Amino acid sequence: MTSDTHRAIEAVWRIESAKVIAGLTRMVGDLGLAEDLAQDALVAALERWPESGVPDNPGAWLMATAKHRAIDVLRRGKLLERKHAELGHELEARQESPERELHAVLDDHVGDDLLSLMFTACHPVLSTEARTALTLRLLGGLTTDEIARAFLVPKATIAQRIVRAKRTLAAARVPFEVPRRPELAARLSSVLEVIYLVFNEGYSATAGDDWMRPALCADALRLGRILAELVPQEPEVHGLLALMEIQSSRSGARVGPSGEPILLLDQDRGRWDHLLIRRGLAALERVEALGGGYGPYALQAAIAACHARARTPEQTDWTRIVALYDALAQLQPSPVVDLNRAVALGMAFGPAAGLEVVDRLTSEPSLAGYHLLPAVRGDLLAKLGRFAEARGEFERAASLTRNTRERTLLLERAATCTRG
């Protein structure tokens, strides 16, 4: 197999696999079986395309191949009897083959199927780790090995999470459907949480040798865009999309030539992707057009927009950012939000104002092992000229982070304080 053909098959699978799995799940009523059938279609593509060439419509080829395999399974098993009953007794009376109707079942409502697959993979009955792995597997088209590498977890651990997740969904008889309005908000929140968790792990890797993992950001952004098309009337979906678009716009400027981190105020803003910024601002306008006020994701997007609109760090509207963090703290109170607000306070009203808030947070149990607390405190102390104290905070932050690049950056800042 040529490398070009292999790359083409991988690209097609990433784009089309979710649609195939979603359609098959609705048809056979079993998520695990649906993925197996989709994988069979992928194997067929790997066998045939190197000789025949990639089809003009490779997604349709995969779907058609998967359909035929699904129909074969339905013919062989008890599922066929159930599907016959669903299609109606009059069909049997005319002795007609169900294949035409089965094809129609798969071709209907592709968008609804994708949305149902998202809600199933992100069902609250699963742990956050299981939801994340299953979403990347089924909707992101990632292999088990790719997911394991992205999260620095053994491949066997990810494989177990996925298998157990499927079993849990089957045992709980989770329906393959879009939840109705009374439970839609809670279930949608679970989907948004998973997408944002994937994005954040790509944007600021918690561990390992890389500051960023752009592939994870791209996967999360693609899922966010799909979700925004499928549920266009949900403001927080557009809020999350706006946040990810604007944050992604900085990716090229966040990493130096050797992979070293470049912090926000030190970035070359000419390297920000202004197309992504425009897309993010447009998504934020969509939130406003839908009405009902900003939710947590939209508020974070509005904060990101303040940075995006500033041509230089000095032009940043820090007072507005403080107000937005105040609103976020009211809506979704958390020590991490308070810590971010302290940074904005320090920029808007001076480091002493920020340090006052941070000092109160040092007794917060949930932040005891959070490396950004001493990192922020060190930055504020350094700005106040208290270099010895700042050095100790940066060294403590370096000891807490599991990211090699971030540790190096923090130790460099500690060394700067020594010289300071």
Side-chain angles (χ1 to χ4, degrees):
M1 182 186 303
T2 67
S3 59
D4 287 345
T5 303
H6 193 273
R7 282 196 295 270
I9 293 173
E10 285 184 345
V12 169
W13 181 251
R14 287 279 171 91
I15 295 168
E16 301 292 342
S17 60
K19 298 175 186 175
V20 177
I21 293 170
L24 290 167
T25 302
R26 179 157 57 88
M27 179 180 181
V28 302
D30 184 310
L31 184 61
L33 176 58
E35 191 188 3
D36 290 342
L37 292 167
Q39 289 286 339
D40 288 345
L42 174 62
V43 170
L46 290 169
E47 292 172 349
R48 299 180 194 176
W49 291 4
E51 295 181 4
S52 63
V54 178
D56 292 337
N57 191 336
W61 190 98
L62 284 172
M63 182 66 89
T65 302
K67 283 180 185 178
H68 289 305
R69 292 178 184 272
I71 290 169
D72 288 342
V73 169
L74 290 172
R75 278 193 186 130
R76 289 195 301 268
K78 294 181 179 179
L79 286 170
L80 179 60
E81 297 174 11
R82 190 164 71 227
K83 188 56 65 175
H84 274 165
E86 291 172 2
L87 292 174
H89 295 294
E90 72 283 356
L91 194 63
E92 295 179 8
R94 296 197 303 269
Q95 295 184 336
E96 292 183 14
S97 167
E99 291 190 21
R100 180 162 48 87
E101 284 75 11
L102 290 174
H103 280 286
V105 163
L106 273 181
D107 288 332
D108 253 359
H109 308 300
V110 171
D112 289 346
D113 286 347
L114 276 176
L115 195 55
S116 297
L117 186 60
M118 281 190 180
F119 279 110
T120 301
C122 298
H123 197 282
V125 73
L126 303 175
S127 69
T128 301
E129 293 82 6
R131 280 181 273 158
T132 302
L134 197 59
T135 297
L136 287 173
R137 173 75 172 176
L138 300 180
L139 288 145
L142 273 66
T143 64
T144 304
D145 192 43
E146 287 172 327
I147 300 169
R149 286 202 307 270
F151 286 90
L152 302 180
V153 175
K155 181 179 177 180
T157 301
I158 294 296
Q160 288 174 353
R161 284 179 188 171
I162 292 172
V163 169
R164 288 172 182 166
K166 292 175 185 175
R167 288 175 181 166
T168 300
L169 291 172
R173 299 180 181 272
V174 172
F176 184 74
E177 63 184 12
V178 178
R180 299 187 184 280
R181 179 56 61 179
E183 60 174 324
L184 179 62
R187 292 283 301 280
L188 184 60
S189 175
S190 177
V191 174
L192 295 176
E193 177 191 11
V194 168
I195 293 175
Y196 193 40
L197 188 153
V198 172
F199 180 83
N200 269 341
E201 185 58 34
Y203 194 70
S204 295
T206 54
D209 297 328
D210 297 314
W211 174 241
M212 292 185 66
R213 298 194 182 107
L216 281 181
C217 290
D219 281 321
L221 193 52
R222 182 169 64 85
L223 291 175
R225 289 170 178 168
I226 291 171
L227 189 60
E229 291 181 4
L230 297 176
V231 282
Q233 301 304 313
E234 294 294 332
E236 269 294 78
V237 172
H238 297 286
L240 175 58
L241 181 58
L243 176 59
M244 294 192 297
E245 298 275 16
I246 296 173
Q247 299 282 64
S248 294
S249 73
R250 305 178 201 150
S251 296
R254 292 187 78 235
V255 180
S258 302
E260 69 276 13
I262 301 177
L263 300 179
L264 176 62
L265 298 183
D266 299 324
Q267 290 169 17
D268 177 1
R269 300 191 176 209
R271 297 186 61 200
W272 287 1
D273 189 325
H274 292 280
L275 173 60
L276 289 177
I277 290 174
R278 288 195 295 272
R279 292 182 68 135
L281 295 178
L284 201 53
E285 289 174 2
R286 178 70 172 161
V287 175
E288 295 171 357
L290 289 169
Y294 281 3
Y297 293 114
L299 283 169
Q300 292 176 74
I303 293 167
C306 289
H307 295 296
R309 292 187 178 108
R311 294 182 179 274
T312 65
E314 294 74 23
Q315 293 177 354
T316 306
D317 189 349
W318 287 104
T319 304
R320 173 165 168 74
I321 291 176
V322 171
L324 289 167
Y325 272 122
D326 286 339
L328 183 59
Q330 289 288 323
L331 200 60
Q332 196 176 63
S334 88
V336 173
V337 171
D338 292 337
L339 182 62
N340 287 324
R341 178 177 171 274
V343 174
L345 277 170
M347 296 300 297
F349 304 109
L355 185 61
E356 183 181 347
V357 175
V358 172
D359 283 345
R360 290 200 297 268
L361 292 172
T362 55
S363 60
E364 173 58 48
S366 64
L367 296 181
Y370 189 50
H371 71 282
L372 290 181
L373 176 60
V376 168
R377 191 166 189 272
D379 181 70
L380 294 168
L381 287 167
K383 288 175 179 175
L384 290 169
R386 296 161 61 178
F387 296 113
E389 294 171 84
R391 183 185 67 236
E393 292 295 328
F394 285 131
E395 289 173 347
R396 180 167 178 268
S399 72
L400 291 173
T401 183
R402 294 186 293 132
N403 185 282
T404 304
R405 297 286 186 179
E406 194 167 28
R407 184 181 302 116
T408 300
L409 173 66
L410 290 165
L411 291 175
E412 287 174 353
R413 298 202 69 187
T416 301
C417 290
T418 303
R419 298 192 297 270

